[in-house]
Amino acid sequence: MSRHVVIIGAGIVGATVAAGLTRDGGVEVTILERGSEHDLRGSTGHAPGYVSLVSESPIMSALAVASATLYEGLESGLDGFDRVGGLELARSDASLANLERRARLAAEAGITGILLDPDEAAAAAPIFVDREHTVGGLLFPADGVARGGVVTETLKAQASRQGARFVYDATVTGIDVRGDRVEAVRSSCGDRFEADDVVIAVGIWGREVAALAGVEVPLAPVAHPYVYGLTRATPSRARLPFVKWREETAYARDHGDRYGIGTHDNDPLALDVGAFDEATQPWPADEFDDPIERALQLLPEEHRFPIDTRLNGLFSMTADNLPLVGPSKDIEGLWIAEALWITHAGGAATALVDMMRGQAPAIDGLEALDPARFAALDAEQLVMRARKKYREIWMPASPSGSAEVRS
Ligand SMILES: Cc1cc2nc3c(=O)[nH]c(=O)nc-3n(C[C@H](O)[C@H](O)[C@H](O)COP(=O)(O)OP(=O)(O)OC[C@H]3O[C@@H](n4cnc5c(N)ncnc54)[C@H](O)[C@@H]3O)c2cc1C
Protein backbone atom coordinates (compact mmCIF):
# COMPACT_ATOMS: atom_id res chain seq x y z
CA MET A 1 0.00 0.00 0.00
CA SER A 2 1.35 3.46 -0.86
CA ARG A 3 2.09 6.05 1.75
CA HIS A 4 -0.92 8.27 2.52
CA VAL A 5 -0.33 11.96 3.23
CA VAL A 6 -3.09 14.23 4.53
CA ILE A 7 -2.51 17.94 3.97
CA ILE A 8 -4.61 20.29 6.05
CA GLY A 9 -5.30 23.58 4.24
CA ALA A 10 -5.50 24.39 0.52
CA GLY A 11 -3.92 27.84 0.47
CA ILE A 12 -0.74 28.45 -1.51
CA VAL A 13 1.33 26.35 0.90
CA GLY A 14 -0.95 23.30 0.96
CA ALA A 15 -1.41 23.50 -2.83
CA THR A 16 2.36 23.60 -3.46
CA VAL A 17 2.97 20.64 -1.14
CA ALA A 18 0.17 18.69 -2.88
CA ALA A 19 1.56 19.41 -6.36
CA GLY A 20 5.10 18.56 -5.28
CA LEU A 21 4.22 15.33 -3.48
CA THR A 22 2.13 13.95 -6.34
CA ARG A 23 4.56 14.93 -9.11
CA ASP A 24 6.57 11.69 -9.04
CA GLY A 25 3.79 9.35 -7.92
CA GLY A 26 4.10 6.72 -5.22
CA VAL A 27 2.24 8.84 -2.64
CA GLU A 28 -1.49 9.07 -2.07
CA VAL A 29 -2.42 12.65 -1.15
CA THR A 30 -5.64 14.00 0.36
CA ILE A 31 -6.11 17.70 1.04
CA LEU A 32 -8.71 18.72 3.59
CA GLU A 33 -9.96 22.28 3.25
CA ARG A 34 -12.75 23.86 5.19
CA GLY A 35 -13.64 26.33 2.45
CA SER A 36 -15.39 25.43 -0.76
CA GLU A 37 -13.56 24.71 -4.01
CA HIS A 38 -12.95 28.21 -5.35
CA ASP A 39 -13.32 30.08 -2.07
CA LEU A 40 -9.87 31.03 -0.76
CA ARG A 41 -10.81 32.12 2.71
CA GLY A 42 -7.26 32.11 4.05
CA SER A 43 -4.63 34.82 3.60
CA THR A 44 -3.66 33.69 0.09
CA GLY A 45 -6.84 35.05 -1.44
CA HIS A 46 -6.27 38.52 -0.01
CA ALA A 47 -2.58 39.30 -0.43
CA PRO A 48 -1.57 42.02 -2.89
CA GLY A 49 1.29 39.62 -3.52
CA TYR A 50 4.55 41.46 -3.96
CA VAL A 51 7.51 39.10 -4.11
CA SER A 52 10.76 40.76 -2.97
CA LEU A 53 13.73 38.52 -3.58
CA VAL A 54 16.31 40.19 -1.36
CA SER A 55 16.02 39.48 2.33
CA GLU A 56 18.34 40.16 5.24
CA SER A 57 18.42 36.40 5.75
CA PRO A 58 20.16 34.30 3.07
CA ILE A 59 17.73 31.41 3.53
CA MET A 60 14.75 33.68 2.93
CA SER A 61 16.35 35.16 -0.19
CA ALA A 62 16.98 31.63 -1.46
CA LEU A 63 13.36 30.63 -0.77
CA ALA A 64 12.08 33.76 -2.51
CA VAL A 65 14.21 33.08 -5.59
CA ALA A 66 12.98 29.46 -5.68
CA SER A 67 9.36 30.56 -5.24
CA ALA A 68 9.57 33.10 -8.06
CA THR A 69 11.09 30.49 -10.35
CA LEU A 70 8.32 28.03 -9.48
CA TYR A 71 5.49 30.55 -9.99
CA GLU A 72 7.04 31.75 -13.24
CA GLY A 73 7.10 28.21 -14.62
CA LEU A 74 3.41 27.53 -13.96
CA GLU A 75 0.94 27.40 -16.81
CA SER A 76 -0.83 30.48 -15.41
CA GLY A 77 2.12 32.46 -16.83
CA LEU A 78 2.05 36.22 -16.35
CA ASP A 79 -1.48 36.10 -14.92
CA GLY A 80 -0.06 34.30 -11.89
CA PHE A 81 3.36 35.86 -11.56
CA ASP A 82 4.93 38.80 -13.32
CA ARG A 83 8.42 40.18 -12.76
CA VAL A 84 7.42 43.83 -12.77
CA GLY A 85 10.35 44.70 -10.49
CA GLY A 86 10.44 46.05 -6.98
CA LEU A 87 11.51 49.59 -6.20
CA GLU A 88 12.61 50.54 -2.67
CA LEU A 89 12.56 54.26 -1.92
CA ALA A 90 14.48 56.43 0.53
CA ARG A 91 13.27 59.76 1.84
CA SER A 92 16.17 60.39 4.26
CA ASP A 93 19.94 59.98 4.22
CA ALA A 94 19.72 57.18 6.80
CA SER A 95 17.21 55.37 4.61
CA LEU A 96 19.45 55.85 1.57
CA ALA A 97 22.41 54.36 3.47
CA ASN A 98 20.18 51.37 4.21
CA LEU A 99 19.38 50.98 0.51
CA GLU A 100 23.09 51.08 -0.31
CA ARG A 101 23.64 48.35 2.26
CA ARG A 102 20.82 46.33 0.71
CA ALA A 103 22.37 46.73 -2.73
CA ARG A 104 25.51 45.06 -1.33
CA LEU A 105 23.35 42.35 0.28
CA ALA A 106 21.71 41.71 -3.08
CA ALA A 107 25.08 41.40 -4.79
CA GLU A 108 26.17 38.83 -2.19
CA ALA A 109 22.99 36.83 -2.92
CA GLY A 110 23.60 37.08 -6.69
CA ILE A 111 20.48 39.21 -7.20
CA THR A 112 20.62 42.34 -9.35
CA GLY A 113 19.91 45.57 -7.49
CA ILE A 114 20.36 48.95 -9.19
CA LEU A 115 20.75 52.14 -7.15
CA LEU A 116 18.77 55.00 -8.70
CA ASP A 117 18.95 58.74 -8.24
CA PRO A 118 15.65 60.53 -7.51
CA ASP A 119 14.94 61.30 -11.18
CA GLU A 120 15.55 57.70 -12.21
CA ALA A 121 13.35 56.46 -9.35
CA ALA A 122 10.55 58.82 -10.38
CA ALA A 123 10.85 57.68 -13.99
CA ALA A 124 10.60 54.01 -12.94
CA ALA A 125 7.27 54.45 -11.12
CA PRO A 126 5.90 57.96 -11.75
CA ILE A 127 2.54 57.28 -10.08
CA PHE A 128 4.16 56.28 -6.79
CA VAL A 129 7.34 58.33 -6.48
CA ASP A 130 7.17 61.77 -4.95
CA ARG A 131 10.27 63.17 -6.65
CA GLU A 132 10.55 66.15 -4.30
CA HIS A 133 10.85 64.04 -1.15
CA THR A 134 12.78 61.10 -2.58
CA VAL A 135 16.55 61.00 -2.10
CA GLY A 136 17.17 57.72 -3.91
CA GLY A 137 15.88 54.32 -4.87
CA LEU A 138 16.97 50.72 -5.28
CA LEU A 139 15.43 48.75 -8.14
CA PHE A 140 15.30 44.96 -8.13
CA PRO A 141 14.30 44.09 -11.71
CA ALA A 142 13.68 40.39 -10.95
CA ASP A 143 11.17 41.07 -8.16
CA GLY A 144 7.60 40.41 -9.09
CA VAL A 145 3.96 40.32 -8.15
CA ALA A 146 1.97 37.14 -7.67
CA ARG A 147 -1.77 36.70 -7.82
CA GLY A 148 -2.03 34.29 -4.92
CA GLY A 149 -5.42 33.01 -5.99
CA VAL A 150 -4.34 32.32 -9.57
CA VAL A 151 -1.10 30.60 -8.54
CA THR A 152 -2.93 28.47 -5.96
CA GLU A 153 -5.70 27.43 -8.36
CA THR A 154 -3.05 26.46 -10.92
CA LEU A 155 -1.14 24.36 -8.39
CA LYS A 156 -4.36 22.74 -7.20
CA ALA A 157 -5.32 21.83 -10.77
CA GLN A 158 -1.83 20.39 -11.31
CA ALA A 159 -2.06 18.35 -8.09
CA SER A 160 -5.54 17.06 -9.07
CA ARG A 161 -4.30 15.96 -12.47
CA GLN A 162 -1.47 14.12 -10.73
CA GLY A 163 -3.96 12.27 -8.54
CA ALA A 164 -4.36 14.41 -5.41
CA ARG A 165 -7.82 14.30 -3.86
CA PHE A 166 -9.24 17.59 -2.56
CA VAL A 167 -12.01 17.37 0.02
CA TYR A 168 -13.78 20.71 0.54
CA ASP A 169 -16.13 21.88 3.29
CA ALA A 170 -14.09 19.64 5.58
CA THR A 171 -12.96 21.37 8.76
CA VAL A 172 -10.32 19.35 10.57
CA THR A 173 -11.48 18.74 14.10
CA GLY A 174 -8.98 16.15 15.31
CA ILE A 175 -5.53 14.70 14.66
CA ASP A 176 -5.21 11.24 16.12
CA VAL A 177 -1.83 10.26 17.48
CA ARG A 178 -0.91 6.74 18.55
CA GLY A 179 2.19 6.61 20.72
CA ASP A 180 4.47 9.18 19.15
CA ARG A 181 3.12 8.79 15.59
CA VAL A 182 0.27 10.38 13.63
CA GLU A 183 -2.45 7.94 12.77
CA ALA A 184 -5.42 9.78 11.27
CA VAL A 185 -7.18 13.10 10.76
CA ARG A 186 -10.83 13.66 11.61
CA SER A 187 -12.99 16.28 9.96
CA SER A 188 -16.40 17.89 10.24
CA CYS A 189 -17.64 15.88 7.25
CA GLY A 190 -17.59 12.86 9.53
CA ASP A 191 -14.83 10.96 7.78
CA ARG A 192 -11.66 9.76 9.43
CA PHE A 193 -8.64 9.86 7.13
CA GLU A 194 -5.91 7.36 7.99
CA ALA A 195 -2.52 9.00 7.47
CA ASP A 196 1.15 8.07 7.47
CA ASP A 197 1.97 11.76 7.35
CA VAL A 198 0.03 14.91 8.12
CA VAL A 199 1.04 18.37 6.90
CA ILE A 200 -0.29 21.40 8.76
CA ALA A 201 -0.58 24.27 6.24
CA VAL A 202 -3.43 26.30 7.67
CA GLY A 203 -1.90 29.79 7.83
CA ILE A 204 -3.17 31.90 10.73
CA TRP A 205 -4.96 28.91 12.25
CA GLY A 206 -1.71 26.96 12.71
CA ARG A 207 -1.63 27.20 16.46
CA GLU A 208 -5.20 25.93 16.86
CA VAL A 209 -4.80 23.05 14.39
CA ALA A 210 -1.40 21.93 15.75
CA ALA A 211 -2.94 21.88 19.23
CA LEU A 212 -5.27 19.12 17.96
CA ALA A 213 -2.15 16.93 17.91
CA GLY A 214 -0.96 18.33 21.24
CA VAL A 215 1.80 20.35 19.55
CA GLU A 216 2.57 23.99 20.34
CA VAL A 217 3.15 26.23 17.30
CA PRO A 218 3.77 29.75 18.60
CA LEU A 219 2.27 31.99 15.93
CA ALA A 220 0.86 35.48 16.31
CA PRO A 221 -1.81 36.32 13.74
CA VAL A 222 -1.82 40.06 13.03
CA ALA A 223 -4.24 42.41 11.31
CA HIS A 224 -2.86 44.38 8.37
CA PRO A 225 -4.43 47.30 6.47
CA TYR A 226 -4.47 47.44 2.66
CA VAL A 227 -6.65 49.68 0.49
CA TYR A 228 -7.56 49.80 -3.18
CA GLY A 229 -8.36 52.86 -5.26
CA LEU A 230 -11.15 53.13 -7.81
CA THR A 231 -11.19 50.75 -10.74
CA ARG A 232 -9.72 52.39 -13.82
CA ALA A 233 -11.89 52.66 -16.92
CA THR A 234 -9.13 51.21 -19.11
CA PRO A 235 -7.26 48.48 -17.26
CA SER A 236 -3.79 47.52 -18.47
CA ARG A 237 -1.45 44.72 -17.59
CA ALA A 238 0.33 46.27 -14.59
CA ARG A 239 3.94 46.90 -15.49
CA LEU A 240 4.87 49.45 -12.86
CA PRO A 241 7.26 48.05 -10.27
CA PHE A 242 5.71 47.68 -6.84
CA VAL A 243 7.16 50.21 -4.44
CA LYS A 244 8.30 49.98 -0.83
CA TRP A 245 9.15 52.76 1.57
CA ARG A 246 11.12 50.67 4.05
CA GLU A 247 11.59 53.30 6.72
CA GLU A 248 7.91 54.20 6.65
CA THR A 249 6.92 50.47 6.41
CA ALA A 250 4.52 51.19 3.54
CA TYR A 251 4.21 49.73 0.04
CA ALA A 252 2.13 50.31 -3.08
CA ARG A 253 1.12 48.24 -6.08
CA ASP A 254 -0.34 48.73 -9.50
CA HIS A 255 -2.94 45.98 -9.90
CA GLY A 256 -3.54 46.80 -13.55
CA ASP A 257 -7.12 47.91 -13.03
CA ARG A 258 -6.48 49.94 -9.84
CA TYR A 259 -3.79 51.01 -7.41
CA GLY A 260 -3.34 49.70 -3.88
CA ILE A 261 -1.36 50.73 -0.82
CA GLY A 262 -0.63 49.00 2.49
CA THR A 263 1.27 49.71 5.67
CA HIS A 264 2.74 48.08 8.77
CA ASP A 265 2.43 51.34 10.68
CA ASN A 266 -0.36 50.03 12.95
CA ASP A 267 -0.25 48.36 16.35
CA PRO A 268 -0.83 44.61 16.08
CA LEU A 269 -3.43 43.64 18.65
CA ALA A 270 -4.10 40.14 20.03
CA LEU A 271 -6.57 38.23 17.83
CA ASP A 272 -8.62 35.16 18.66
CA VAL A 273 -8.53 33.60 15.20
CA GLY A 274 -10.17 30.42 16.46
CA ALA A 275 -13.38 32.43 16.28
CA PHE A 276 -12.85 33.42 12.61
CA ASP A 277 -13.24 31.28 9.51
CA GLU A 278 -11.85 33.94 7.15
CA ALA A 279 -8.47 35.67 7.15
CA THR A 280 -10.21 39.03 6.91
CA GLN A 281 -12.09 41.06 9.48
CA PRO A 282 -14.11 44.28 9.49
CA TRP A 283 -12.05 47.47 9.07
CA PRO A 284 -11.22 49.01 12.47
CA ALA A 285 -11.31 52.69 11.46
CA ASP A 286 -9.82 53.89 14.78
CA GLU A 287 -6.72 51.77 14.26
CA PHE A 288 -6.30 51.76 10.49
CA ASP A 289 -7.49 55.10 9.07
CA ASP A 290 -4.51 57.17 10.27
CA PRO A 291 -1.76 54.72 9.21
CA ILE A 292 -3.34 54.42 5.76
CA GLU A 293 -3.61 58.19 5.47
CA ARG A 294 0.10 58.46 6.37
CA ALA A 295 0.90 55.91 3.66
CA LEU A 296 -1.15 57.79 1.05
CA GLN A 297 0.79 60.96 1.92
CA LEU A 298 3.92 59.26 0.56
CA LEU A 299 2.48 59.41 -2.97
CA PRO A 300 2.82 62.47 -5.19
CA GLU A 301 -0.06 64.76 -4.27
CA GLU A 302 -1.73 64.41 -7.68
CA HIS A 303 -1.74 60.60 -7.37
CA ARG A 304 -3.17 60.24 -3.84
CA PHE A 305 -6.16 58.17 -4.81
CA PRO A 306 -9.60 58.05 -3.19
CA ILE A 307 -10.17 54.78 -1.34
CA ASP A 308 -12.70 52.42 -2.85
CA THR A 309 -12.10 49.19 -0.89
CA ARG A 310 -10.59 48.67 2.56
CA LEU A 311 -9.09 45.32 3.50
CA ASN A 312 -8.25 44.21 7.03
CA GLY A 313 -6.30 41.05 6.20
CA LEU A 314 -4.68 38.64 8.63
CA PHE A 315 -1.36 36.79 8.43
CA SER A 316 1.02 35.20 10.92
CA MET A 317 4.21 36.40 12.57
CA THR A 318 6.76 34.39 14.58
CA ALA A 319 9.13 35.46 17.37
CA ASP A 320 12.18 35.58 15.08
CA ASN A 321 10.31 36.59 11.93
CA LEU A 322 11.17 33.30 10.22
CA PRO A 323 8.59 30.71 9.15
CA LEU A 324 8.22 27.24 10.66
CA VAL A 325 9.02 24.55 8.11
CA GLY A 326 9.91 20.93 8.80
CA PRO A 327 9.01 17.90 10.87
CA SER A 328 7.55 18.05 14.36
CA LYS A 329 10.13 16.78 16.81
CA ASP A 330 7.47 15.32 19.11
CA ILE A 331 5.27 13.41 16.69
CA GLU A 332 6.56 11.29 13.89
CA GLY A 333 4.81 11.89 10.58
CA LEU A 334 3.64 15.37 11.55
CA TRP A 335 4.98 18.21 9.37
CA ILE A 336 4.62 21.94 9.84
CA ALA A 337 4.55 24.60 7.08
CA GLU A 338 3.45 27.77 8.81
CA ALA A 339 3.98 31.57 8.83
CA LEU A 340 4.94 31.47 5.16
CA TRP A 341 4.35 34.37 2.82
CA ILE A 342 3.52 33.95 -0.84
CA THR A 343 7.06 35.24 -1.39
CA HIS A 344 8.56 32.15 0.24
CA ALA A 345 5.75 29.60 0.05
CA GLY A 346 6.72 27.93 -3.23
CA GLY A 347 10.36 27.39 -2.30
CA ALA A 348 9.61 26.39 1.29
CA ALA A 349 6.84 23.94 0.39
CA THR A 350 9.08 22.38 -2.25
CA ALA A 351 11.84 21.96 0.34
CA LEU A 352 9.33 20.36 2.70
CA VAL A 353 8.38 17.88 -0.01
CA ASP A 354 12.06 16.98 -0.39
CA MET A 355 12.32 16.42 3.37
CA MET A 356 9.19 14.26 3.34
CA ARG A 357 10.66 12.18 0.54
CA GLY A 358 13.89 11.76 2.53
CA GLN A 359 15.82 13.76 -0.07
CA ALA A 360 18.23 16.57 0.67
CA PRO A 361 16.51 19.89 -0.17
CA ALA A 362 18.21 21.92 -2.88
CA ILE A 363 18.38 24.92 -0.53
CA ASP A 364 20.86 25.10 2.36
CA GLY A 365 20.13 26.53 5.80
CA LEU A 366 16.64 25.15 6.34
CA GLU A 367 17.53 24.24 9.93
CA ALA A 368 16.93 27.93 10.74
CA LEU A 369 13.23 27.24 10.07
CA ASP A 370 13.03 24.16 12.33
CA PRO A 371 9.56 24.28 13.95
CA ALA A 372 11.14 23.02 17.20
CA ARG A 373 13.59 25.90 17.56
CA PHE A 374 11.45 27.62 20.22
CA ALA A 375 10.66 24.45 22.18
CA ALA A 376 12.40 25.50 25.40
CA LEU A 377 10.70 28.90 25.52
CA ASP A 378 7.38 30.03 26.95
CA ALA A 379 4.71 29.95 24.22
CA GLU A 380 2.78 33.03 25.35
CA GLN A 381 5.94 35.11 25.53
CA LEU A 382 6.89 33.90 22.07
CA VAL A 383 3.51 34.97 20.74
CA MET A 384 3.95 38.43 22.30
CA ARG A 385 7.43 38.72 20.80
CA ALA A 386 6.07 37.62 17.43
CA ARG A 387 3.41 40.34 17.54
CA LYS A 388 6.07 42.97 18.20
CA LYS A 389 7.91 41.89 15.05
CA TYR A 390 5.06 43.17 12.91
CA ARG A 391 6.20 46.81 12.91
CA GLU A 392 9.86 45.77 12.60
CA ILE A 393 9.17 43.49 9.66
CA TRP A 394 11.48 45.38 7.28
CA MET A 395 14.07 46.59 9.76
CA PRO A 396 17.70 45.67 9.35
CA ALA A 397 19.14 43.02 11.65
CA SER A 398 19.69 44.26 15.19
CA PRO A 399 22.84 43.45 17.17
CA SER A 400 20.77 41.11 19.35
CA GLY A 401 20.06 39.05 16.28
CA SER A 402 16.34 39.79 16.11
CA ALA A 403 16.61 40.16 12.38
CA GLU A 404 14.37 41.48 9.68
CA VAL A 405 14.06 38.58 7.35
CA ARG A 406 11.00 38.96 5.15
CA SER A 407 12.45 41.58 2.83
C1 LIG B 1 -3.57 41.87 3.52
C2 LIG B 1 -2.45 40.90 3.27
C3 LIG B 1 -1.36 41.31 2.55
C4 LIG B 1 -0.32 40.40 2.28
N1 LIG B 1 0.66 40.79 1.43
C5 LIG B 1 1.58 39.88 1.03
C6 LIG B 1 2.49 40.20 0.00
O1 LIG B 1 2.43 41.29 -0.58
N2 LIG B 1 3.45 39.28 -0.31
C7 LIG B 1 3.49 38.06 0.28
O2 LIG B 1 4.39 37.28 -0.04
N3 LIG B 1 2.60 37.71 1.24
C8 LIG B 1 1.65 38.59 1.62
N4 LIG B 1 0.74 38.25 2.58
C9 LIG B 1 0.91 36.98 3.31
C10 LIG B 1 0.39 35.79 2.54
O3 LIG B 1 -0.84 36.06 1.93
C11 LIG B 1 0.21 34.60 3.49
O4 LIG B 1 1.27 34.50 4.37
C12 LIG B 1 0.07 33.29 2.70
O5 LIG B 1 -0.94 33.44 1.71
C13 LIG B 1 -0.27 32.15 3.62
O6 LIG B 1 -0.57 31.01 2.85
P1 LIG B 1 -1.02 29.65 3.57
O7 LIG B 1 -1.27 28.67 2.52
O8 LIG B 1 -0.03 29.34 4.64
O9 LIG B 1 -2.34 30.02 4.38
P2 LIG B 1 -3.81 30.37 3.87
O10 LIG B 1 -3.81 31.01 2.55
O11 LIG B 1 -4.43 31.13 4.99
O12 LIG B 1 -4.49 28.96 3.70
C14 LIG B 1 -4.80 28.16 4.82
C15 LIG B 1 -6.03 27.34 4.49
O13 LIG B 1 -6.27 26.46 5.57
C16 LIG B 1 -7.67 26.31 5.72
N5 LIG B 1 -7.97 25.86 7.09
C17 LIG B 1 -7.77 26.53 8.24
N6 LIG B 1 -8.15 25.79 9.29
C18 LIG B 1 -8.60 24.62 8.79
C19 LIG B 1 -9.15 23.45 9.37
N7 LIG B 1 -9.29 23.31 10.69
N8 LIG B 1 -9.51 22.43 8.55
C20 LIG B 1 -9.37 22.54 7.19
N9 LIG B 1 -8.87 23.63 6.59
C21 LIG B 1 -8.49 24.66 7.38
C22 LIG B 1 -8.20 27.71 5.43
O14 LIG B 1 -9.57 27.70 5.07
C23 LIG B 1 -7.29 28.18 4.32
O15 LIG B 1 -7.83 27.95 3.04
C24 LIG B 1 -0.34 39.11 2.84
C25 LIG B 1 -1.43 38.69 3.59
C26 LIG B 1 -2.48 39.57 3.79
C27 LIG B 1 -3.68 39.09 4.56
Side-chain angles (χ1 to χ4, degrees):
M1 217 172 61
S2 65
R3 175 178 175 191
H4 185 209
V5 179
V6 173
I7 300 168
I8 312 174
I12 193 162
V13 175
T16 313
V17 174
L21 274 178
T22 49
R23 196 188 51 220
D24 297 327
V27 185
E28 198 188 323
V29 174
T30 304
I31 303 93
L32 303 179
E33 165 56 52
R34 74 168 160 203
S36 55
E37 185 167 358
H38 299 294
D39 162 28
L40 281 174
R41 49 174 68 185
S43 308
T44 301
H46 304 293
Y50 67 73
V51 175
S52 293
L53 301 185
V54 178
S55 164
E56 302 284 317
S57 149
I59 176 69
M60 298 304 274
S61 296
L63 291 177
V65 168
S67 300
T69 305
L70 183 130
Y71 304 152
E72 192 167 44
L74 294 174
E75 60 196 23
S76 40
L78 293 175
D79 286 343
F81 180 69
D82 194 355
R83 290 194 194 261
V84 296
L87 175 62
E88 302 190 355
L89 295 169
R91 291 164 64 95
S92 70
D93 289 345
S95 185
L96 185 59
N98 191 35
L99 292 192
E100 286 162 358
R101 186 190 61 80
R102 284 182 56 75
R104 292 191 293 276
L105 201 65
E108 282 162 26
I111 297 167
T112 302
I114 305 164
L115 285 162
L116 305 181
D117 67 25
D119 287 331
E120 291 168 329
I127 302 289
F128 296 139
V129 181
D130 178 357
R131 164 70 188 81
E132 200 189 324
H133 296 101
T134 300
V135 298
L138 175 57
L139 179 69
F140 294 112
D143 281 4
V145 287
R147 287 203 179 84
V150 173
V151 168
T152 303
E153 288 298 321
T154 307
L155 286 160
K156 280 163 59 179
Q158 186 180 320
S160 291
R161 281 197 305 274
Q162 294 168 171
R165 174 184 170 216
F166 286 84
V167 183
Y168 294 101
D169 302 311
T171 302
V172 167
T173 52
I175 301 175
D176 294 345
V177 176
R178 182 188 288 262
D180 60 358
R181 196 165 217 308
V182 283
E183 186 181 60
V185 177
R186 283 176 282 118
S187 86
S188 58
C189 60
D191 293 329
R192 182 172 184 274
F193 299 84
E194 307 272 339
D196 299 297
D197 299 273
V198 173
V199 181
I200 297 180
V202 291
I204 58 166
W205 296 279
R207 200 172 179 201
E208 285 69 20
V209 172
L212 297 174
V215 170
E216 179 61 64
V217 171
L219 296 177
V222 291
H224 176 66
Y226 191 81
V227 296
Y228 292 91
L230 300 166
T231 303
R232 294 201 288 269
T234 45
S236 60
R237 179 179 290 285
R239 290 300 310 174
L240 278 188
F242 68 83
V243 163
K244 278 183 176 178
W245 296 267
R246 299 184 73 83
E247 201 168 59
E248 293 79 7
T249 66
Y251 59 99
R253 227 204 105 172
D254 179 3
H255 292 271
D257 58 351
R258 54 191 177 158
Y259 300 114
I261 195 162
T263 176
H264 289 257
D265 184 18
N266 60 296
D267 287 324
L269 306 174
L271 294 171
D272 175 15
V273 293
F276 311 153
D277 65 359
E278 295 261 357
T280 54
Q281 284 295 294
W283 181 265
D286 288 353
E287 290 158 39
F288 283 3
D289 279 356
D290 288 348
I292 281 292
E293 186 49 38
R294 284 194 289 276
L296 282 164
Q297 293 297 318
L298 297 169
L299 300 175
E301 198 175 343
E302 63 277 23
H303 295 305
R304 288 175 200 156
F305 53 80
I307 299 172
D308 180 59
T309 307
R310 293 170 173 80
L311 169 68
N312 172 9
L314 315 182
F315 59 79
S316 292
M317 302 293 301
T318 63
D320 61 2
N321 216 351
L322 286 169
L324 303 157
V325 182
S328 154
K329 288 286 177 286
D330 303 318
I331 299 179
E332 210 182 322
L334 186 68
W335 304 84
I336 314 286
E338 285 292 332
L340 281 160
W341 278 32
I342 287 172
T343 303
H344 311 106
T350 303
L352 186 79
V353 168
D354 288 339
M355 289 185 222
M356 294 179 72
R357 287 188 172 281
Q359 296 162 355
I363 292 173
D364 291 333
L366 288 161
E367 54 286 350
L369 315 185
D370 183 354
R373 65 187 180 276
F374 300 124
L377 303 171
D378 176 73
E380 289 312 319
Q381 287 202 353
L382 286 166
V383 169
M384 277 177 358
R385 253 171 63 189
R387 210 171 287 130
K388 285 192 187 142
K389 289 277 170 220
Y390 172 77
R391 273 183 180 273
E392 301 171 11
I393 199 157
W394 294 341
M395 282 191 185
S398 73
S400 66
S402 59
E404 172 270 344
V405 292
R406 296 279 181 185
S407 84

